[in-house]
Amino acid sequence: MTELKPKAGMKEWCGLVVIVLVTLLVAVDVSVLGFAIAPLSEDLSPSATQLLWIMDIYSFVLAGTLVTVGWLGDRVGRRKLLLIGAAMFGVASALAAFSTSPEMLIASRALLGLAASTLTPTSLALIRNMFHDTKERKTAIAAWGGTLTSGAAVGPVVGGLLLNNFWWGSVFLINIPVMVLVLILGPLLLPEYRDPNRGKLDLLSTVLSLAGIMALIYGFKELVINGYSRPAAISATVGGVLLVVFVIRQRTAADPMINVRLFRNGGFSGAVITNMMVAFALMGSSVLTNQYMQMVLGYSPLKASLWSLAPMPAIGVAVGLAPVLGRKIRPGKIIGGALLIIAAGFGILTQVKVDSSIAVVLVGVGLLAGGMVACKTLSAEIVVTSAPPEQAGSSVAVSETFTEFGIAMGFATLGSIGSAIYRHDMSDVRPAGVSGSALHALHNTIGGAADVAGHLSAGAGGKLITDSRDAFTHGMQVACTAGALLLALTAIVASLLLRKTPIEAALPGSMEAAQAQEGDYGLAYRSTPRTEGSPASVPRSSAAYR
């Protein structure tokens, strides 16, 4: 007999608003810094290497600490860790805003990354604890996923508006009032949940995961963006070896930080891969389309960021439609279809030309955004219901770590493909009187070509601008072709992995059927004593976790 799940009340829905606020801030903070690079460079005078670390250290630390922090949330309490992270995020934001040196800003951004790693897995894991009814949980996760995607689009707009009126530190200060609100409302609206049966923190596993993930992402980005170099190759290799050792240790440790047996579940593996490739598509397409609007169409940064909000209706439709379809159609079919929609969005962008209407770009980006939100909504539901409630934080952390890999891959891979085509097409462009560093600059980036063109005569400068725009657009077309092919391939892989995942994976009994089909990954599920924050009306057997 199917057990009735307790319905969420007003407190839970108000608590969801707090979670959405936290998620929005983390998503905005990923992209808000872009517009501040020029003014902060003028103020702090960082070297080229320091500037790269200012941009990258946030994502490196975030990715490297997610696994450890997800385990800590399950152990010490998800609400407690979220509130600690919110306080840390506010303090780090103030330090970043008033940084007086590049080193101070790099350290502040690292602290922001650490704080952000406490917020994402705990927020989604808390949704699992707050919403036991499948329909309500799907709606809550749709709001969470939509916030992540829309926040990335809102970030540049917020940054542009602030920098039009205030100094560069204002892009960090906006975090503080929101986090103060979270610290006030969190204890009142969010439930606490912890697993008292978690063992001690495995320090060796912590070091292996942190060092392995950071070294692998750093090495991979350097290899793809700057080409082969011995330090980058060593970094990527060492990172890969450390992660292999980490996985081996998780299989043999008495108290593992993550349950690697979850990957025997085709649904969990498919959801994780989907999340990674959605992040790949988001970052890769953003890098290309933002530069196209500014450097080819000639839009100002603020105008380009405002146009980037045009796909918001598509996000709204996906947020509302995905949970409804998820109650009627198997998630493998919906996610496979949504990934094909993302591929179609890339396909539209392959048709963009130098003189194309902005409408062509917006149609492509709209398809990308709608498909991404649908994928994120359903894959997040699968991730949080693939493990018992006391392990939800760790399973979310694993998924979000792969998401960070996707972000790095999207920026590095599609950006590098576009750059390679640009350099090839521009290799024979040699304006009279231009040599040395100026020639190198115009051959490498469209921004460099625009700077050089400004110092040439009207005729020569105009021709250089035309050539550079043609080369960049060609590079964008080739990169988007690669994106379309990769997402189409992902659609096939995800559909196969998710083919046996039931429509209502969270209903009692349906996961047992899925386990019988998938094989023995039921080792991930154990009967456990009742934990703080679990409703008394739900029996604490393994079936109740689903």
Side-chain angles (χ1 to χ4, degrees), residues 397 430 476:
R430 299 177 181 274
M476 177 176 169

Side-chain angles (χ1 to χ4, degrees), residues 187-396:
L188 302 176
L189 299 174
L190 299 178
E192 184 56 285
Y193 195 97
R194 65 172 62 91
D195 177 13
N197 298 317
R198 282 279 186 174
K200 294 181 179 180
L201 179 64
D202 185 349
L203 293 178
L204 179 57
S205 293
T206 299
V207 172
L208 288 171
S209 65
L210 176 62
I213 292 170
M214 292 183 68
L216 182 59
I217 291 181
Y218 172 77
F220 177 82
K221 287 185 69 172
E222 287 295 306
L223 287 170
V224 176
I225 294 175
N226 299 318
Y228 176 82
S229 68
R230 181 175 293 180
I234 292 174
S235 176
T237 303
V238 170
V241 171
L242 290 176
L243 288 179
V244 170
V245 175
F246 171 77
V247 170
I248 293 173
R249 183 167 179 82
Q250 300 316 293
R251 292 177 62 87
T252 58
D255 295 301
M257 294 182 67
I258 63 171
N259 193 338
V260 294
R261 294 186 181 93
L262 283 173
F263 284 97
R264 296 183 185 178
N265 176 351
F268 182 80
S269 298
V272 168
I273 291 172
T274 297
N275 282 340
M276 181 176 69
M277 293 308 295
V278 164
F280 172 95
L282 174 63
M283 182 56 66
S285 62
S286 297
V287 168
L288 296 169
T289 56
N290 286 342
Q291 287 189 82
Y292 175 82
M293 286 191 287
Q294 293 182 55
M295 304 306 299
V296 177
L297 298 184
Y299 291 175
S300 68
L302 182 57
K303 184 178 180 180
S305 65
L306 289 172
W307 272 114
S308 69
L309 295 179
M312 292 296 282
I315 293 176
V317 170
V319 167
L321 194 58
V324 175
L325 293 177
R327 292 192 289 272
K328 300 177 180 179
I329 304 172
R330 280 182 176 268
K333 294 182 178 180
I334 303 175
I335 290 176
L339 288 167
L340 288 178
I341 290 175
I342 298 175
F346 274 120
I348 295 292
L349 293 179
T350 65
Q351 303 305 304
V352 169
K353 297 178 175 58
V354 172
D355 56 352
S356 291
S357 165
I358 185 65
V360 180
V361 177
L362 297 182
V363 170
V365 173
L367 290 173
L368 284 162
M372 289 173 191
V373 172
C375 286
K376 190 70 176 177
T377 298
L378 296 175
S379 60
E381 164 77 7
I382 294 170
V383 167
V384 298
T385 56
S386 291
E390 71 272 9
Q391 294 181 15
S394 296
S395 66
V396 172

Side-chain angles (χ1 to χ4, degrees), residues 22 81-91 115 118-119 179-180 182-183:
V22 170
L81 191 62
L82 184 142
L83 296 177
I84 291 172
M88 189 188 306
F89 205 92
V91 171
T118 70
L119 302 176
M179 286 307 176
V180 169
V182 169
L183 289 171

Side-chain angles (χ1 to χ4, degrees), residues 280 288 342-352 414 417-418 473-489:
F280 172 95
L288 296 169
I342 298 175
F346 274 120
I348 295 292
L349 293 179
T350 65
Q351 303 305 304
V352 169
L414 296 189
I417 291 173
T473 305
H474 183 207
M476 177 176 169
Q477 292 168 347
V478 175
C480 288
T481 300
L485 293 174
L486 285 171
L487 267 296
L489 177 62

Side-chain angles (χ1 to χ4, degrees), residues 14-29:
C14 290
L16 178 63
V17 174
V18 176
I19 289 174
V20 166
L21 275 176
V22 170
T23 306
L24 178 63
L25 208 57
V26 172
V28 167
D29 212 63

Side-chain angles (χ1 to χ4, degrees), residues 36 40 93-94 96-99 162-163 166-174:
L40 75 82
S93 297
F98 296 105
S99 293
L162 287 171
L163 293 171
F166 306 102
W167 98 114
W168 61 266
S170 61
V171 301
F172 296 108
L173 286 183
I174 60 168

Side-chain angles (χ1 to χ4, degrees), residues 87-112:
M88 189 188 306
F89 205 92
V91 171
S93 297
L95 291 173
F98 296 105
S99 293
T100 57
S101 67
E103 293 82 4
M104 182 177 177
L105 183 55
I106 291 170
S108 300
R109 289 276 291 166
L111 187 59
L112 276 169

